[in-house]
Amino acid sequence: MINLELVNRVGNLFRSQIAELGYELEIQSEFRDLAAIAESYKHDITPHFHPATNTFFWSEAFWIAVKHDDKVIGYCAAKRQDVGNEGLLAYNLRYWERTYGSPDAPVVFEEQQSRELAKITGKLIYSGAWYMSKDHRNSHIGKLLGQYVQCHAFAEWRDTDYFYIFMDSNDVGTGLGAALELKDQVVDALHWRECPAPAKPNYWLLGCSREWFEDWLMRKLVRHDRSAKASKE
């Protein structure tokens, strides 16, 4: 179990920084609302969080609305995946074939896949459906949101073994991947013979274990306390 007091303290630090920039966060459970907002931005949230392919219990998924002047200008989502001993790789191959494939255009993966994904087992958190409107992408809010969603997800599901996201190489190249400070980085995490729309052919997997994340929380808290002390001197 993750240290709830620690993860909440650091999560509140991120939330305070977000508020100082003029934004507020709202935790939501109704994914039909997320789909409607995404459609207004012409953003595809993919089948992983779309209500057409998922009917989540409120206890197994959430999404975060970022609001500015009472308008939702960004969002991201997270869901729980208890893959047990099957592992993330085997589960993903089954899940992506169902959610992205169709009778006319089945998803066919290559036989050779990343061994790193096969090592990821147990209780997982997957985060996706990340979006920030163009007018707010240079406001530092994206990085803070990405770090806050990790805190909220681990606080929500304290027994999680591993947190991960998929990010295409273009977004990694912008520096967003590094900004999230996730320890593990697997290049070309999935391999298929033909890339199924709207998936991308060049996903990275970025992730971290609960143990590493808890150490990261401590580093964040120590850094903040030192900064606060220095500003008072």
Side-chain angles (χ1 to χ4, degrees):
M1 290 283 186
I2 201 162
N3 184 318
L4 185 59
E5 180 182 359
L6 176 62
V7 72
N8 281 337
R9 284 184 66 186
V10 178
N12 287 335
L13 291 178
F14 291 134
R15 196 153 189 159
S16 295
Q17 293 175 44
I18 289 169
E20 289 172 2
L21 293 173
Y23 300 88
E24 62 177 314
L25 304 181
E26 287 186 1
I27 312 299
Q28 307 280 352
S29 298
E30 180 51 77
F31 280 82
R32 286 176 296 186
D33 294 340
L34 173 60
I37 293 169
E39 185 176 357
S40 72
Y41 282 113
K42 294 180 173 57
H43 174 235
D44 185 358
I45 60 173
T46 76
H48 293 287
F49 291 100
H50 202 286
T53 47
N54 291 281
T55 51
F56 297 117
F57 292 112
W58 285 9
S59 62
E60 64 182 358
F62 66 84
W63 65 279
I64 302 177
V66 184
K67 302 182 75 173
H68 185 263
D69 292 335
D70 291 327
K71 180 184 179 182
V72 177
I73 53 84
Y75 46 81
C76 67
K79 63 181 177 180
R80 184 173 176 81
Q81 298 174 322
D82 189 349
V83 301
N85 292 329
E86 179 184 14
L88 180 58
L89 177 60
Y91 170 75
N92 265 343
L93 297 185
R94 290 192 298 109
Y95 183 78
W96 287 56
E97 285 173 358
R98 179 176 67 83
T99 57
Y100 283 100
S102 68
D104 296 330
V107 176
V108 180
F109 282 95
E110 298 285 3
E111 291 186 9
Q112 189 67 33
Q113 295 290 332
S114 169
R115 294 181 180 179
E116 294 302 312
L117 270 67
K119 298 175 184 177
I120 301 172
T121 60
K123 297 179 174 65
L124 315 181
I125 296 170
Y126 169 64
S127 182
W130 292 32
Y131 180 80
M132 193 64 57
S133 66
K134 293 180 180 179
D135 294 340
H136 298 268
R137 289 178 185 172
N138 296 323
S139 63
H140 196 55
I141 185 66
K143 172 183 176 179
L144 290 171
L145 174 63
Q147 294 181 336
Y148 176 78
V149 69
Q150 298 174 54
C151 293
H152 186 79
F154 269 104
E156 191 77 8
W157 302 301
R158 294 176 59 199
D159 60 347
T160 295
D161 298 302
Y162 198 85
F163 175 98
Y164 75 101
I165 65 174
F166 284 113
M167 184 178 292
D168 72 66
S169 60
N170 291 331
D171 288 335
V172 173
T174 66
L176 179 57
L180 298 179
E181 302 179 23
L182 292 166
K183 173 181 177 290
D184 300 332
Q185 299 188 2
V186 180
V187 184
D188 294 331
L190 294 170
H191 301 275
W192 38 56
R193 297 177 190 174
E194 188 170 342
C195 177
K200 305 291 180 63
N202 52 2
Y203 281 119
W204 292 44
L205 179 140
L206 309 178
C208 68
S209 67
R210 179 177 68 243
E211 292 78 12
W212 187 90
F213 182 71
E214 207 159 28
D215 288 341
W216 179 82
L217 292 172
M218 283 299 302
R219 294 194 298 272
K220 285 290 182 182
L221 194 58
V222 168
R223 193 178 309 161
H224 174 267
D225 289 347
R226 286 176 178 170
S227 179
K229 182 178 179 181
S231 65
K232 294 179 180 178
E233 295 177 350

